[in-house]
Structures are given as structure tokens and as C-alpha cells.
């Protein structure tokens, strides 16, 4: 079966900073795959390379067997992307925001209204679709952004820190909608997060990324079981413990550079 996404030695530098240092990754069709790591690990840069927003060399990124360097437009048509920074317009209603994306994606006029309704329904926003987005809670805004991405019926949906800054109830709701959409459509989902507990609960497989490289990859249960075996002391390690072992530090101590933390905090503040 064709992989939804293959990265083969993906590298990307900003000047002297090697943000992604040779990433090898395969995401199977239909899975929810988590790219995990602290601020500054290179997750967003890797995602931007896949979306074709950052240029890559031929052979480094393939989406459903289309090369991101050689077949950029075909790759873009297969993708949905919800960036970490907010992308909904507060002065438009929920429905207007999704309609705007339907026009941007060039969905034929006669299908547009139905596709917008489907997308709003998929994220549970039908009843509030005529309210201004400015009145939405942080969790509702995240779900609205999910609807914006879903309206084009992408085959690979990429979400950058979809639950950052949300309260636990809103986080659960965002994840449940992601799972429901996957179940209904068979869509593949690639999600970045630094919340290990969420990844453990909702992702089929995860890759733990640190300083531009993947340090461990597998189903969360497999990774923790392997560590339990290595330790052999009967303790029940978490994914956070696996990360600590492969990266030499926990996520909290890691911290990231000032600009990475500032960006995360800005997103969290605007949603909170
Ligand atoms: N536009 C940029 N210019 C210069 N350096 C950058 C830029 N974007 C990212 N970097 C650097 O590249 C590295 C990887 O950053 P990236 O944003 O990909 O990490 P991340 O894992 O997504 O973190 P976050 O959780 O903060 O989004 C960091 O060292 C970061 O400072």
C-alpha cells in the first residue's frame, strides 16, 4: 500500500540553524500519527516542508507517492493544514470562515454550500455557525479551523499543536472530532504536539523528535513496553519517560529557544 507520507533524509536549515537534520518517516494511510517533541525540536519546520511552504530537495518528501519538490501543486491538493498560528477571521461568522476556505480551494460553486455544512457538522459547530468567530471559545476556534481544513476533503490532514492552550474539556473535544472524521473518511492525520499524554491516548503511532532528528518511533504502547522491559524493575513508564531516555532530558526542562517559546505562548494566549 502507498504510504500517505514518506520523508527520506529530510533536512532544512535556517542559516546556520539545522532545524531538521535528516528525518526518515513513513506515515501509513488512515493512521493518526503524532510528531512529538519540545519547543524547537523541528516539528513545525518538518510540517512546513511537507506542506511545500518551505522548499525541499527532490526525493525528500513524498505525499501519496507525489514528490513535494517536483509535483508541488499535486501535493498541495492532497493536503489539509491547520497551522499553530490562528487562521480564523474573528470578524466573520463560523460559516463565512469555512465558506472563504471553500472558495480559496476552488470548490465548484454548486457543491460549495453542502461541503461547508458537512465540514461544520463534522466538528460540531452547525448550531453556532452564524455567530461571529470573535464570540467563540478557544476550543470552538480550533474546531472551526479544523472545518476550514476539512472543506477541501484532504487525504492527509496536518495539524500543528491543535490543542495548545486549551482546557482539558476543549482538548478532549478537539481530539474526539479528529477521531470521528478519521473514522468517517479514512483520512490520514499527522499531528504535532508536545503533550505526551494526548499522543499516548489518541495517536496510533508516534515519532519522538529532538534537535531535528527522530529518536524513537512506534505505537505508544510498544515504546512504553520496550522501556519497561529495558528497566526490568516492574515500573510502568509513560511516553514522557521514553522521551527522557532517548533525549537525555524531559520536555519541561528542555524549554526551547526564546522565539519558539514566545510563539507557543502567543498561540496559547490568543486561544485562552
Ligand atoms: N523562521 C525561522 N528563522 C530562523 N530559525 C528558525 C525559524 N523557524 C524555526 N527556526 C529554528 O529552527 C529550529 C526548529 O524550530 P521549529 O519551529 O521547527 O520547532 P518545533 O518543534 O516546531 O517547535 P514549536 O513547538 O515551538 O513549534 C529551532 O531552533 C528554531 O529556533
Amino acid at each position: 500500500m502507498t504510504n500517505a507520507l514518506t520523508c527520506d533524509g529530510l533536512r532544512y536549515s535556517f542559516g546556520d540553524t539545522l532545524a531538521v537534520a535528516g528525518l526518515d518517516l513513513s506515515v501509513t494511510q488512515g493512521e493518526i500519527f503524532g510528531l512529538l517533541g519540545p519547543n524547537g525540536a523541528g516539528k513545525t519546520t518538518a510540517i512546513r516542508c511537507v506542506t511545500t511552504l518551505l522548499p525541499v530537495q527532490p526525493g525528500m518528501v513524498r505525499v501519496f507517492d507525489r514528490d513535494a519538490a517536483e509535483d508541488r501543486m499535486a501535493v498541495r491538493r492532497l493536503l489539509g493544514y491547520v497551522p499553530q498560528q490562528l487562521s480564523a477571521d474573528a470578524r466573520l461568522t463560523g460559516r463565512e470562515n469555512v465558506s472563504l476556505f471553500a472558495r480559496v480551494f476552488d470548490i465548484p460553486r454548486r457543491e460549495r454550500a453542502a461541503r461547508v455544512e458537512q465540514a461544520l457538522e463534522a466538528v460540531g459547530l452547525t448550531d453556532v455557525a452564524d455567530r461571529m468567530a470573535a464570540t467563540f471559545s478557544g476550543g470552538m476556534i480550533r474546531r472551526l479551523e479544523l472545518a476550514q481544513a476539512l472543506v477541501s476533503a484532504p487525504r492527509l490532514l496536518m495539524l500543528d499543536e491543535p490543542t495548545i492552550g486549551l482546557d482539558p474539556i476543549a482538548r478532549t473535544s478537539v481530539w474526539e472530532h479528529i477521531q470521528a472524521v478519521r473514522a468517517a473518511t479514512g483520512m490520514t492525520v499527522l499531528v504535532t504536539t508536545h503533550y505526551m499524554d494526548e499522543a499516548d491516548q489518541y495517536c496510533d503511532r508516534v515519532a519522538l523528535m529532538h534537535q531535528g532528528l527522530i529518536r524513537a518511533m512506534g505505537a505508544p504502547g510498544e515504546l512504553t513496553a520496550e522501556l519497561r522491559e529495558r528497566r526490568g524493575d516492574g515500573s510502568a513508564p509513560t511516553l514522557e519517560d521514553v522521551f527522557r531516555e532517548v533525549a537525555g532530558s524531559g520536555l519541561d526542562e528542555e524549554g526551547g529557544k526564546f522565539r519558539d517559546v514566545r510563539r507557543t505562548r502567543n498561540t496559547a494566549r490568543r486561544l485562552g
Side-chain angles (χ1 to χ4, degrees):
M1 187 167 58
T2 307
N3 282 326
L5 170 66
T6 310
C7 295
D8 193 358
L10 173 62
R11 293 171 74 82
Y12 195 89
S13 300
F14 296 99
D16 292 340
T17 308
L18 185 58
V20 180
L23 198 71
D24 294 321
L25 183 72
S26 304
V27 178
T28 309
Q29 283 189 46
E31 69 179 341
I32 298 182
F33 189 97
L35 194 53
L36 314 189
N39 290 132
K43 307 177 301 291
T44 300
T45 305
I47 285 237
R48 286 189 178 147
C49 289
V50 175
T51 58
T52 77
L53 291 173
L54 293 174
V56 294
Q57 300 298 315
M60 285 184 172
V61 174
R62 297 183 75 77
V63 177
F64 290 97
D65 244 357
R66 305 294 187 109
D67 191 291
E70 289 167 345
D71 216 348
R72 257 171 79 196
M73 289 318 290
V75 166
R76 286 185 182 185
R77 277 193 288 272
L78 292 163
L79 296 176
Y81 175 43
V82 179
Q84 203 178 118
Q85 287 82 3
L86 302 190
S87 56
D89 188 332
R91 293 156 305 175
L92 299 179
T93 67
R95 184 174 281 106
E96 285 167 348
N97 267 294
V98 182
S99 300
L100 187 67
F101 273 70
R103 285 205 296 277
V104 169
F105 287 123
D106 214 13
I107 291 166
R109 188 183 282 268
R110 63 183 183 288
E111 288 176 32
R112 227 178 267 162
R115 292 272 289 273
V116 170
E117 293 317 307
Q118 267 171 18
L120 285 165
E121 200 186 326
V123 300
L125 290 179
T126 305
D127 292 347
V128 294
D130 289 320
R131 272 172 46 186
M132 300 266 279
T135 69
F136 284 12
S137 66
M140 288 159 79
I141 290 175
R142 272 306 190 209
R143 285 189 277 137
L144 178 60
E145 292 174 321
L146 198 53
Q148 292 172 172
L150 289 174
V151 79
S152 70
R155 291 182 64 196
L156 173 60
L157 177 64
M158 297 202 288
L159 308 166
D160 196 358
E161 298 277 3
T163 56
I164 199 160
L166 300 182
D167 65 57
I169 293 172
R171 281 191 206 178
T172 304
S173 173
V174 166
W175 276 109
E176 284 177 355
H177 284 94
I178 293 170
Q179 285 191 313
V181 167
R182 192 268 299 260
T185 63
M187 188 180 290
T188 309
V189 182
L190 174 64
V191 57
T192 77
T193 181
H194 59 268
Y195 297 130
M196 296 275 172
D197 52 337
E198 292 185 7
D200 192 4
Q201 193 173 349
Y202 298 107
C203 294
D204 299 311
R205 284 195 310 138
V206 297
L208 305 187
M209 199 169 170
H210 182 57
Q211 295 175 346
L213 280 172
I214 288 175
R215 305 298 171 116
M217 184 154 53
E222 273 168 27
L223 293 175
T224 50
E226 281 164 17
L227 179 57
R228 189 168 54 235
E229 205 158 293
R230 278 199 299 279
R231 283 182 171 174
D233 60 3
S235 64
T238 61
L239 260 191
E240 173 88 32
D241 295 326
V242 177
F243 182 84
R244 196 182 295 275
E245 202 203 44
V246 295
S249 68
L251 287 185
D252 291 343
E253 298 106 274
E254 196 46 38
K257 287 192 195 151
F258 178 72
R259 62 170 293 286
D260 305 316
V261 177
R262 186 181 57 191
R263 196 177 66 201
T264 308
R265 293 221 175 119
N266 280 345
T267 307
R269 196 167 47 235
R270 289 175 65 195
L271 281 170

